Amino acid sequence: MTRDSSASSLIVGGAASSPRAPLPTLPPLALYIHIPWCVRKCPYCDFNSHTASPVLPEQEYVDALLADLDQDLHAVYGREIISIFFGGGTPSLFSAEALGRLLEGVKQRIPFAHDIEITLEANPGTFEQEKFVAYRKLGINRLSIGIQSFQQEKLKALGRIHNGDEAVRAAGMARQAGFDNFNLDLMHGLPDQSLDDALSDLRQAIELNPTHISWYQLTLEPNTVFWNQPPVLPEDDTLWDIQEAGQALLAEHGYAQYEVSAYAQAGRPARHNLNYWSFGDFIGIGAGAHGKLSHPDGRIVRTWKTRLPKDYLNPVKSFQAGEKALTNDEMPFEFLMNALRLTAGVESRLYPERTGLSLESLAEGRAAAEQSGLLQVEPSRLAATERGQLFLNDLLQQFLN
């Protein structure tokens, strides 16, 4: 494992770069908290989630999360966090009391930005909706509700345990609980889904007036039930029609696409998402959580935590399963695979600021990507063209050795 690569050089498209410099400023810092339990594992899900037992080990897990955070504090001393994201799994299975103790413990350890965004993933089930008011009182100010579809046959095919009526009610209850900022997760390209089916789901979501919609295509991932027993998915032509019509519908109703699968009302993109895609830093705590931390000397280290909940809770096992310092030759791909997901890309100056490498180190790859029509010809920005967004993997290949 490379602990310090500050003296190495980078070859991109055959051109050597200067050594990595110390970072002029550290990027914004976020916190990701993984809660790995679900009522039932969905057949398409490849996240680190596990079927919950009747009684969750809330107190033990909160203790472990805070102890895990304690071990990361040395790397972020003196910094504040701009966002917290509770992901899973289904974090809303935890009680407000447990999450309150956790948030209080985090705040005692790391200062919160005055306008911190705190997001909790939740499912639409009635049991969880009843907790929304309590969550809002804790300072959680954004919900991300996993709808996926409003149509019963599609929900059944996806293995979801809520129904369409509960999905509709969840948005109303979020607003009544004081959440003026919430996301709806919606999928398309579902088994046997037609264009009309997909647009019907999207219209229903828009009617609920969330500030943010995550609208993404179902993909079959390894190590899932759907991978081993694939359902019948729409033909490519139908998927293309759904994508085009759906994007037009979202734009018509004021939802601007700012990332491959993220659409937001004006001023409402997810701060946590933006930090992630712009190569910001984040601490990751919880079973299987990943983190990325920059250091003033130029080192950028990715970390990952012990994956299985039983091992994570085992006091004789380490919370951290591994870490890797990014080398100079990995940096262009690592930075651009995030930044180019943003439809507007990022300002070019962000590359040297966040990586310690010069813009010149991207020169040959950048020229090739521009010539192929995948990258915008814009010196002050690194941004994919519309074609580049469709063929992002091909674009990123231009920045591999």
Side-chain angles (χ1 to χ4, degrees):
M1 183 181 298
T2 302
R3 297 291 300 182
D4 186 351
S5 56
S6 59
S8 66
S9 65
L10 168 66
I11 305 294
V12 178
S17 79
S18 58
R20 192 187 308 174
L23 300 182
T25 58
L26 293 176
L29 177 67
L31 173 65
Y32 175 77
I33 302 172
H34 192 76
I35 297 180
W37 292 283
C38 286
V39 173
R40 184 170 68 192
K41 179 85 171 179
C42 296
Y44 58 85
C45 179
D46 68 335
F47 295 143
N48 184 33
S49 60
H50 306 267
T51 301
S53 59
V55 179
L56 288 173
E58 286 189 336
Q59 299 307 315
E60 297 91 333
Y61 196 70
V62 169
D63 289 340
L65 287 168
L66 293 174
D68 186 0
L69 179 59
D70 282 336
Q71 295 187 5
D72 286 339
L73 289 180
H74 70 280
V76 297
Y77 180 75
R79 300 169 70 180
E80 66 176 19
I81 48 177
I82 63 162
S83 72
I84 298 173
F85 194 100
F86 289 92
T90 307
S92 55
L93 290 180
F94 267 37
S95 67
E97 290 77 13
L99 294 185
R101 186 165 73 88
L102 175 56
L103 281 172
E104 186 60 33
V106 172
K107 194 169 187 178
Q108 290 171 359
R109 290 162 170 81
I110 309 181
F112 286 12
H114 70 92
D115 57 349
I116 189 170
E117 173 193 273
I118 305 178
T119 302
L120 178 81
E121 288 186 338
N123 277 342
T126 301
F127 172 70
E128 293 170 58
Q129 292 174 35
E130 293 171 351
K131 302 177 183 177
F132 286 179
V133 172
Y135 291 148
R136 186 66 189 91
K137 289 179 179 177
L138 296 177
I140 295 169
N141 52 23
R142 185 174 181 273
L143 289 180
S144 182
I145 305 173
I147 302 293
Q148 315 313 350
S149 176
F150 294 93
Q151 298 166 34
Q152 192 56 40
E153 69 276 11
K154 298 297 185 286
L155 290 168
K156 183 177 180 181
L158 292 173
R160 304 294 290 176
I161 60 173
H162 67 271
N163 58 45
D165 289 341
E166 286 177 318
V168 171
R169 285 200 301 271
M173 292 188 72
R175 191 170 282 106
Q176 290 171 17
F179 289 96
D180 61 356
N181 190 14
F182 66 93
N183 168 67
L184 297 183
D185 255 358
L186 202 64
M187 299 173 74
H188 61 89
L190 306 181
D192 297 315
Q193 188 178 48
S194 67
L195 172 61
D196 287 344
D197 288 339
L199 293 182
S200 174
D201 269 347
L202 202 48
R203 289 190 185 97
Q204 177 65 82
I206 291 169
E207 186 178 324
L208 296 173
N209 196 32
T211 50
H212 189 286
I213 296 177
S214 296
W215 188 60
Y216 51 96
Q217 184 179 320
L218 171 65
T219 56
L220 304 185
E221 302 291 348
N223 303 315
T224 65
V225 172
F226 273 4
W227 180 263
N228 296 312
Q229 302 170 32
V232 178
L233 300 181
E235 299 288 339
D236 286 346
D237 286 348
T238 301
L239 293 173
W240 181 257
D241 290 343
I242 289 172
Q243 185 75 29
E244 282 198 317
Q247 287 179 327
L249 183 64
L250 285 160
E252 177 188 340
H253 287 85
Y255 290 91
Q257 183 180 16
Y258 70 94
E259 189 264 341
V260 170
S261 57
Y263 304 78
Q265 293 177 346
R268 293 296 191 145
R271 187 177 307 174
H272 195 87
N273 291 0
L274 284 176
N275 185 57
Y276 186 88
W277 300 126
S278 59
F279 215 52
D281 279 355
F282 54 99
I283 306 168
I285 60 172
H290 286 243
K292 176 246 172 187
L293 292 174
S294 304
H295 299 262
D297 62 6
R299 285 181 304 123
I300 298 175
V301 180
R302 291 200 180 276
T303 61
W304 54 97
K305 302 300 173 67
T306 297
R307 183 175 176 84
L308 293 178
K310 67 179 180 63
D311 292 334
Y312 185 82
L313 289 170
N314 187 335
V316 304
K317 292 184 179 290
S318 172
F319 293 121
Q320 184 157 303
E323 70 172 41
K324 184 184 189 310
L326 298 179
T327 60
N328 282 17
D329 61 348
E330 294 169 323
M331 202 65 69
F333 185 86
E334 287 279 336
F335 179 90
L336 292 169
M337 76 172 178
N338 291 291
L340 295 180
R341 287 184 64 96
L342 294 168
T343 55
V346 297
E347 293 184 48
S348 297
R349 63 170 177 78
L350 208 62
Y351 182 73
E353 286 180 10
R354 299 279 164 96
T355 68
L357 295 171
S358 68
L359 270 175
E360 287 71 26
S361 67
L362 296 178
E364 287 202 27
R366 191 172 185 176
E370 289 173 352
Q371 187 174 7
S372 63
L374 299 175
L375 193 71
Q376 292 182 24
V377 182
E378 174 54 65
S380 66
R381 297 199 72 79
L382 291 164
T385 61
E386 287 189 18
R387 183 167 178 266
Q389 290 170 19
L390 293 173
F391 299 99
L392 196 54
N393 287 339
D394 293 337
L395 170 54
L396 292 172
Q397 289 297 316
Q398 306 290 342
F399 298 92
L400 286 175
N401 289 338

